[in-house]
Amino acid sequence: MRFFGFANGILIAALAVASAQAQAAGPDDQTERGRYLTEMMGCNDCHTPGYFLGKPDMAHRLSGSEVAFEIPGMGAFAGPNLTPDKATGLGAWSDAEIDTVMRTGVRPDGRTLAPSMPWRSFASMSEEDMAAIIAYLRSLPATERKVPGPFGPGETSNTFVMRLVPPGAVVAGAP
Ligand code: HEC
C-alpha cells in the first residue's frame, strides 16, 4: 500500500512537470495560442475573405473581408487585412498600435473604428493573450490586399454590404 502511494506520488510529480512543460511559452507555443485565440474569438468571420459567403479562403486567412457592415448614419466598414503586408495590412503598425486599436478602437491615424469591430469585448484581454494574438498575426504570410471602403453615408459601395432589413423585405436570390 505504501509502495503504491509512493509510486502515485512520483507519477503525479511527473505529470506536473509534463504539464508545466506543455504550458511553457516558447515562441512557437505563443504563436499557436494566438492562432487558437483568433479562431475562438471570431476574427476569421470578419477578417478572412469568403467567410460570410460560406467559402472562407483559409490560405489567405485574415487578409481582409469583402463584406462590409453597414452602420446607419456612419457608413459601411469591411474587416481590414491583418497580415504583415506593409501597405495594405498591419506590417507598418507597432505592437503598441495594434494593442491600442484592439482595446480602445483608436487607430494610429486617430479614427475610432466602427462598432462592428468588437473592440469593447477585447478591452480587458490579458497581456499574454494580446501578445499571443500579435505574434500570430506577425507569423501570417504577408498578403497584399486592400479591402474596399470604408464608405461614408450615401456613398455607393463596390462590394457586399451586410444590412438590416425590416420584416417583409424580399430576400435576395442566388447570384
Ligand atoms: C464582427 C466582426 C469582427 C470581428 C469578430 C473582429 N473584427 Fe476586427 N474589425 C472589424 C471591422 C469591420 C473593422 C474595421 C472597422 C472600421 O474600419 O471602422 C475591424 C478592424 C480591426 C483592426 C484595425 C485594422 C485597421 O486597419 O484599421 C484590427 C487590428 C482588428 N480588427 C483585429 C481583430 C482581431 C485580432 C480580431 C479577433 C480577436 C477581430 N478583429 C475580430 C470587424 C471584426
Side-chain angles (χ1 to χ4, degrees):
M1 207 53 198
R2 238 194 217 159
F3 172 76
F4 283 120
F6 179 65
N8 275 345
I10 290 181
L11 184 64
I12 288 165
L15 286 175
V17 168
S19 106
Q21 278 168 352
Q23 282 167 17
D28 290 344
D29 292 339
Q30 188 191 39
T31 307
E32 180 55 21
R33 175 151 180 83
R35 182 194 61 75
Y36 166 81
L37 288 170
T38 59
E39 286 183 7
M40 300 301 281
M41 293 166 75
C43 318
N44 283 296
D45 302 29
C46 302
H47 289 276
T48 291
Y51 206 95
F52 286 123
L53 302 171
K55 291 182 187 140
D57 177 4
M58 295 314 270
H60 299 101
R61 62 174 67 198
L62 300 177
S63 67
S65 177
E66 65 284 83
V67 180
F69 291 85
E70 185 183 275
I71 316 283
M74 245 183 171
F77 307 84
N81 183 349
L82 305 180
T83 75
D85 183 62
K86 280 209 158 56
T88 62
L90 298 179
W93 293 42
S94 68
D95 288 2
E97 286 170 335
I98 299 176
D99 186 310
T100 300
V101 82
M102 294 277 298
R103 293 182 194 280
T104 68
V106 179
R107 286 167 37 97
D109 64 6
R111 179 168 76 81
T112 298
L113 296 180
S116 17
M117 163 64 184
W119 54 264
R120 287 177 181 81
S121 311
F122 303 153
S124 59
M125 203 189 312
S126 74
E127 295 292 335
E128 290 76 19
D129 286 348
M130 183 66 79
I133 287 178
I134 293 173
Y136 174 63
L137 295 179
R138 302 268 190 233
S139 79
L140 292 169
T143 303
E144 192 184 340
R145 192 156 188 283
K146 162 87 182 75
V147 297
F151 305 98
E155 242 185 274
T156 303
S157 118
N158 59 358
T159 193
F160 294 93
V161 173
M162 255 203 237
R163 171 176 294 167
L164 292 179
V165 292
V170 176
V171 176

